[in-house]
Amino acid sequence: MTTKNILLTTTLSLFAILSIAMIPNYEAFAEEEKSGYKMAENVKAVMTFTFRDGVEIHEFPSFSMTTDFVSNTGTTFEVKGVIGESPHLHKALDESYKYRLMIDSANGSWDYDYRYFDVDVDFLRDDIVFSSIGYYNCEILAYSAETLNSGDFESYTSSKSGFAIVDDIEFRCGGLNSNNPVDLSMYEGTFTDYATVPLDYTFAEDVRTIVTFDFENGQERIEYHGFYINSGFGETDDAGPEFSVERTLDFFPLLGKEIDTARKTSALPTSYNSDFNAKVEFVNGKSIRTIDYTDCRINGADIETKSDKEESFTGKSGFAIVQNIDFACAGIDTTNTGYGQMAGTTKVWKTTMTESIAPIHEYNMGQGATAKVIFTYRDGVEIINFPIFDQHNVLDRSYPTFTLEGIVGDFPMLYQRVDENLSIQSVQGSNYVENFDVDVNLMYGEETARVYNYSGCRVTDYEINSAMNKEETYIKGKFAFENTFDFECKGYTPNSPVYDAMFDTTTYAKTLNTGDLRNTDSWGPGFTVQE
């Protein structure tokens, strides 16, 4: 924020306070600041409620939109916080209960002093406002006081757990306005790389997701905590390519402008909503996977607070205010750099076939087996270990199917089959795509306990998702991007090496050969060696 903006903000604030002070019977109340809550990246929401009889400022640790910000389906939001001194807000709650029957009988036209009010939500990072939303003509939609607890003995016995009696309030408003703290025109025609400084979190296998948005009026490159493929790769997907992103709420001016444009035009079929492209890169020091989305629009967005029952309030965990954005696109393409670079790899079987062996991941499998998967393609072999192997019911009278899941990694040959299947989705039938064999070996160290041999397989769906555990992922700072592959095969043969070894009774005849005969020159008397 510039000095000019600071002076302007200070002047307006003083003017607002003096104006309020001059209104008779108009009371301003600021709740004592709550401290001790863990807020991811020090992002918090401060709300100013403007009633007819006064103003209150509250810092609820939990703020969430309960209707989509973009779609024209209503304007509602919810807050949660420990019950404290909130005279005007509690008066509004009490009167909404008192006059609820009169409102119903009057078809919603009954009015009273605390029925309608405005709410300004300021979002701060390190106590500096970076974005705000102004809700107007709001009313109480739902309200309850509840006690949050673990649901078991921990709330009573653990010092890290406990109880939290909170207000849970949902509001319905007549509309909203996005208030940007800076002039967006200064970003027109620029390229801003917000991913230059990586997010200060730990990512499994150090795999990170970066999205470059190419808008009509500029470009922004942003790293995200969460990424989700919603549709586009599945053989049965009816919708076009769609994906979603998630990260702690922050200020990205060009992306924010696109969100506002999508909201303003969502209910107007004749309005113009510009398209843009999005390049999604998965990197771990090098690019391992790229997905290019073209002609995209924003079809959903919201802000929510991730928390976990009482743990967020008692200090065992915390809160994370995040923004979720959904995108719908017209086209999708992929870049598999690793596959094109495999020409110089070691040849096997004295043919032009290649071999790709992914690094072994040290997953914690407890006392269970590790799935070592061998893919045999037309042009080579690829070996990958996956922590998740789900075999679907093989007794069904249908083609055998199974699913593999694991961290996004450098699997060029498998990605090639995913991309080939994507390119022929408009062609019905599996004969138009290469079929390959998959051997799933369940292993304990070097010992194989079980083998599933699948033949004539193809990839039927592919997803990337972020494995998260509510707010805990943000508070502990650990994230994981997960690949999910669905396969359908023509053949299936199970094998049990341990069982086979029980009946391995093959013996070999002990027939003498010349090497087993004694040397004749050492035989006893009467036997001579003929010269």
Side-chain angles (χ1 to χ4, degrees):
M1 180 179 292
T2 63
T3 305
K4 179 180 178 181
N5 288 334
I6 295 173
L7 294 174
L8 178 60
T9 303
T10 305
T11 303
L12 291 175
S13 300
L14 291 172
F15 178 78
I17 294 173
L18 291 173
S19 300
I20 293 173
M22 291 187 293
I23 300 176
N25 301 322
Y26 197 86
E27 297 183 3
F29 180 84
E31 185 180 19
E32 291 184 8
E33 183 180 353
K34 298 181 178 68
S35 60
Y37 294 134
K38 298 176 184 177
M39 305 298 296
E41 297 186 23
N42 292 325
V43 174
K44 62 182 180 180
V46 176
M47 280 147 273
T48 302
F49 294 82
T50 304
F51 301 96
R52 296 172 182 173
D53 293 339
V55 175
E56 281 186 356
I57 301 175
H58 296 284
E59 183 182 328
F60 287 98
S62 178
F63 165 87
S64 297
M65 296 177 176
T66 50
T67 52
D68 189 86
F69 182 80
V70 171
S71 64
N72 189 37
T73 58
T75 306
T76 61
F77 67 94
E78 179 186 41
V79 298
K80 287 184 180 181
V82 294
I83 297 177
E85 297 181 0
S86 310
H88 290 294
L89 180 56
H90 286 163
K91 182 65 174 178
L93 298 176
D94 297 342
E95 288 199 353
S96 67
Y97 172 78
K98 179 180 179 180
Y99 296 113
R100 71 192 190 285
L101 297 179
M102 300 183 71
I103 292 175
D104 292 339
S105 62
N107 295 322
S109 62
W110 178 266
D111 193 15
Y112 53 89
D113 199 23
Y114 277 88
R115 180 172 182 182
Y116 295 108
F117 47 89
D118 296 339
V119 183
D120 293 310
V121 184
D122 293 324
F123 298 101
L124 297 83
R125 178 185 294 271
D126 297 327
D127 295 324
I128 298 176
V129 176
F130 64 86
S131 183
S132 62
I133 299 175
Y135 292 94
Y136 55 86
N137 293 338
C138 300
E139 59 181 326
I140 306 297
L141 179 61
Y143 163 68
S144 65
E146 60 178 327
T147 300
L148 303 177
N149 63 89
S150 64
D152 55 28
F153 66 92
E154 283 193 354
S155 287
Y156 291 94
T157 61
S158 174
S159 60
K160 294 184 178 180
S161 186
F163 304 88
I165 302 177
V166 301
D167 275 327
D168 186 348
I169 312 169
E170 186 173 10
F171 303 88
R172 177 176 56 207
C173 304
L176 62 85
N177 293 308
S178 297
N179 303 316
N180 292 304
V182 298
D183 182 7
L184 296 183
S185 62
M186 62 186 297
Y187 295 94
E188 296 286 339
T190 63
F191 170 76
T192 306
D193 189 353
Y194 297 99
T196 301
V197 179
L199 293 173
D200 190 17
Y201 291 97
T202 300
F203 290 83
E205 307 296 333
D206 199 29
V207 176
R208 296 170 178 266
T209 301
I210 300 173
V211 183
T212 302
F213 297 99
D214 186 5
F215 304 112
E216 287 187 348
N217 57 344
Q219 294 178 316
E220 289 181 333
R221 188 169 182 264
I222 306 169
E223 182 180 357
Y224 282 95
H225 301 97
F227 176 84
Y228 308 87
I229 293 178
N230 301 325
S231 65
F233 285 89
E235 289 185 345
T236 59
D237 285 345
D238 295 328
E242 297 182 354
F243 70 97
S244 301
V245 295
E246 173 187 318
R247 70 165 283 161
T248 48
L249 185 63
D250 209 334
F251 179 62
F252 304 112
L254 298 181
L255 179 58
K257 184 177 180 180
E258 289 294 329
I259 295 174
D260 288 338
T261 300
R263 177 175 61 84
K264 294 174 182 177
T265 60
S266 62
L268 303 174
T270 59
S271 296
Y272 176 77
N273 188 5
S274 61
D275 297 335
F276 53 88
N277 299 330
K279 178 181 179 182
V280 183
E281 299 173 274
F282 299 92
V283 300
N284 63 348
K286 66 176 183 177
S287 177
I288 57 177
R289 188 81 168 123
T290 301
I291 303 176
D292 292 292
Y293 292 93
T294 56
D295 298 329
C296 301
R297 295 185 180 185
I298 295 172
N299 65 348
D302 65 33
I303 298 171
E304 67 168 326
T305 300
K306 293 180 177 289
S307 62
D308 187 10
K309 298 179 181 178
E310 86 296 342
E311 291 185 357
S312 297
F313 288 92
T314 60
K316 182 178 180 180
S317 186
F319 301 87
I321 301 177
V322 304
Q323 184 177 49
N324 306 293
I325 311 174
D326 303 324
F327 301 87
C329 306
I332 182 174
D333 196 8
T334 58
T335 302
N336 190 359
T337 306
Y339 188 76
Q341 295 175 343
M342 292 187 65
T345 58
T346 303
K347 303 293 187 294
V348 296
W349 307 332
K350 298 181 180 180
T351 69
T352 57
M353 301 184 71
T354 56
E355 182 179 62
S356 174
I357 303 177
I360 300 298
H361 300 278
E362 298 298 332
Y363 297 117
N364 181 7
M365 305 301 294
Q367 298 185 23
T370 297
K372 178 183 178 181
V373 185
I374 302 174
F375 298 88
T376 303
Y377 309 109
R378 188 179 301 153
D379 61 346
V381 175
E382 190 166 38
I383 302 175
I384 308 170
N385 73 303
F386 287 91
I388 299 176
F389 163 66
D390 289 330
Q391 182 184 60
H392 305 157
N393 190 357
V394 296
L395 300 183
D396 286 342
R397 294 181 179 271
S398 60
Y399 288 123
T401 59
F402 65 96
T403 299
L404 295 171
E405 297 182 24
I407 297 299
V408 174
D410 192 6
F411 316 138
M413 302 181 79
L414 180 55
Y415 289 146
Q416 182 68 13
R417 275 66 202 177
V418 173
D419 299 342
E420 288 176 355
N421 199 41
L422 172 66
S423 65
I424 54 90
Q425 281 187 10
S426 59
V427 181
Q428 297 297 321
S430 61
N431 291 332
Y432 296 94
V433 67
E434 175 194 346
N435 292 323
F436 49 89
D437 297 337
V438 183
D439 300 317
V440 181
N441 301 271
L442 301 185
M443 306 186 67
Y444 291 89
E446 298 298 324
E447 299 295 326
T448 303
R450 196 85 163 99
V451 179
Y452 304 104
N453 302 116
Y454 294 91
S455 59
C457 302
R458 73 182 194 279
V459 179
T460 58
D461 199 2
Y462 168 68
E463 294 180 351
I464 298 177
N465 294 288
S466 296
M468 293 191 183
N469 182 16
K470 298 180 180 179
E471 87 301 337
E472 185 176 339
T473 308
Y474 287 90
I475 298 303
K476 292 185 176 180
K478 296 181 178 181
F479 298 84
F481 294 102
E482 184 179 60
N483 271 327
T484 301
F485 303 89
D486 291 332
F487 300 86
E488 181 179 280
C489 306
K490 295 179 179 179
Y492 165 71
T493 303
N495 290 284
S496 177
V498 178
Y499 181 83
D500 294 340
M502 294 171 57
F503 298 92
D504 186 8
T505 58
T506 303
T507 58
Y508 300 93
K510 297 181 179 180
T511 304
L512 293 177
N513 56 43
T514 56
D516 297 320
L517 298 177
R518 296 173 58 189
N519 197 343
T520 56
D521 63 359
S522 62
W523 288 2
F527 293 90
T528 61
V529 178
Q530 185 176 357
E531 296 295 329

